[in-house]
Amino acid sequence: MTRTPLIAGNWKMFKTGPEAVDTATQLAAACADVRDKEIMIAPTYVCLPLVATAIANTSLHLGAQNLHFEKQGAFTGEISADMLAAAGVEYVIIGHSERRQYFFETDDMVNRKIQAAVAGRLKPILCIGETQAQREAGNTFLTLDKQVADGVKGVDSKLLQDLVIAYEPVWAIGTGETAGPDQVETVHSYLRTMLDTQISSDLAQTVRILYGGSVKPDNIANLMRIQDVDGVLVGGASLDAGTFTELVKYD
Ligand code: 13P
């Protein structure tokens, strides 16, 4: 089974509309010749329609950083799956550790968001990862098991054929500290086996498992070489079109 590598940029709360359009346009031009990888950018909500227009007819894919699980209603400040899809969004990042940490998202909310995403035909990127304290307590796998199992609970595995899982150890996000190749390999192969035995063996073959956490041009090649790493989810190094292009064109 060949899985197309996904190089994804999470722009977090950076860039105004014009800035996002400018970076996206430069990135699309620089990566126009890339055929063997999928490239995704996730700007802020307000930038989505602008960036969708800027990257139409290019090889770039568009993602959102979050969504609300209800279809519509009196939920001030929230955005639904249908609204994202109508804005040209294809992927949606769900359960990022910053959402869990600063906005108190629980596994139950993450699950409802996954359900809303698949119902709205968006491709969910389920973010999981242990904190430093969980790792030190020897609870890395317990934490990841629960985040995956609760995240996809009750969702028919046939609806999850576009699921992407992003393993982002919380202690490696924005810290300059990357998990070592052995740690990444152990976790990714554990996740693939867990999907195989506990969810669906078909799904285990199709799901792309991304690594995230201080991915930079100088470490991406070593990460992408790891057997069960199917791509990366990048924060800081995805903000500059030139650096992002180096990530896409690593060798
Ligand atoms: P950094 O690449 O800045 O560490 O962020 C990773 C991340 O959170 C991507 O979602």
Side-chain angles (χ1 to χ4, degrees), residues 4-10 37-41 93 125 164-168 178 184 188 208-217 219-226 228-235 237-238 244 246-250:
T4 307
L6 176 60
I7 312 292
N10 173 8
K37 302 174 194 104
E38 234 181 297
I39 307 163
M40 187 278 273
I41 45 176
I93 298 170
I125 301 181
V164 175
I165 292 180
Y167 169 56
E168 302 200 295
T178 326
V184 176
H188 280 235
R208 285 176 291 180
I209 306 177
L210 314 184
Y211 170 79
S214 299
V215 176
K216 306 279 181 247
N219 60 23
I220 187 167
N222 280 338
L223 289 162
M224 292 298 291
R225 223 171 270 138
I226 299 169
D228 281 302
V229 172
D230 305 308
V232 286
L233 181 56
V234 187
S238 73
F244 198 164
E246 284 182 57
L247 291 174
V248 172
K249 300 190 173 181
Y250 72 87

